[in-house]
Amino acid sequence: MKRAIFPGSFDPFTIGHESIVLRALELFDEIIIAIGYNSEKKGFFSVENRIKIIEEIFSDEKRVSVKKYNKLTVDFCKEQNIKFILRGLRTASDFEYERAIAQMNHFMENDIETVFLLTEAKHTPVSSTILREILKYDGDVCKFIPKCIDIKKYL
Ligand code: ADP
């Protein structure tokens, strides 16, 4: 059985993230969305609420689960006995950043591979950073959140 983790901050989870997960379900039998958090750094949404948002989005998809971790991604993979890291790529600058991390992870753990999926063109501008900015001014983010779920209740 092929399993992958999809690590990130997901603060909050967007339609861009969802599309990567759904497309990756054609490649993997099971995907764990892994929220990497730093206990000293407070997010916009709490880690617990980010988990609740993702659980609500994937409530009908048994092959997708969500976990949090506060350690090196490769160590979390080893702990979960997973060999594939899934990441999405939007732009050339995403690529440069992701390339270094993926190569370093591979350097540290030779049997862990990072698999990249290119974003769908329409999702290229969608980012959690911009959604947080819209939310700060009480704007409507519904069309950027899977199933248009009301994430403001998690603020
Ligand atoms: P991080 O803080 O690790 O970058 P994010 O939550 O911002 O975490 O992103 C997690 C992963 O999802 C990264 O691989 C990122 O490139 C990817 N991603 C973010 N937004 C999109 C999008 N709109 N389309 C496809 N992939 C995306």
Side-chain angles (χ1 to χ4, degrees):
M1 189 161 95
K2 282 212 165 15
R3 298 156 76 225
I5 68 156
F6 183 35
S9 348
F10 307 113
D11 190 18
F13 196 89
T14 70
I15 50 171
H17 296 131
E18 178 193 41
S19 163
I20 298 291
V21 171
L22 295 178
R23 288 162 59 209
L25 281 173
E26 298 288 326
L27 303 171
F28 299 103
D29 302 302
E30 200 184 314
I31 292 170
I32 299 177
I33 298 168
I35 303 181
Y37 72 100
N38 175 340
S39 31
E40 275 129 57
K41 220 171 100 191
K42 214 179 150 278
F44 193 74
F45 288 88
S46 69
V47 175
E48 300 312 324
N49 283 347
R50 279 180 248 169
I51 291 175
K52 283 185 195 150
I53 292 170
I54 295 168
E55 281 175 345
E56 191 173 332
I57 292 167
F58 291 102
S59 56
D60 294 331
E61 182 47 84
K62 298 242 169 324
R63 296 192 295 151
V64 177
S65 58
V66 53
K67 288 187 166 37
K68 61 179 178 179
Y69 70 103
N70 184 9
K71 56 180 66 174
L72 285 176
T73 303
V74 288
D75 287 340
F76 181 69
C77 286
K78 279 197 323 193
E79 184 188 288
Q80 300 286 322
N81 198 19
I82 286 180
K83 297 209 179 313
F84 298 99
I85 296 174
L86 173 67
R87 295 285 285 178
L89 289 177
R90 286 166 294 186
T91 58
S93 65
D94 265 3
F95 172 74
E96 266 313 303
Y97 174 74
E98 297 288 343
R99 179 193 54 75
I101 295 176
Q103 289 176 328
M104 284 301 278
N105 282 338
H106 192 68
F107 212 158
M108 287 190 284
E109 287 300 329
N110 219 254
D111 58 348
I112 295 180
E113 295 287 354
T114 303
V115 174
F116 296 104
L117 288 184
L118 281 182
T119 185
E120 284 191 60
K122 63 180 185 228
H123 292 146
T124 307
V126 178
S127 78
S128 301
T129 310
I130 297 178
L131 294 202
R132 290 196 297 272
E133 208 56 36
I134 298 173
L135 285 165
K136 243 186 248 172
Y137 296 102
D138 203 27
D140 184 11
V141 293
C142 164
K143 62 169 84 134
F144 307 113
I145 304 297
K147 296 181 177 169
C148 192
I149 67 165
D150 173 23
I151 61 168
K152 287 189 183 175
K153 68 179 183 228
Y154 293 111
L155 274 171

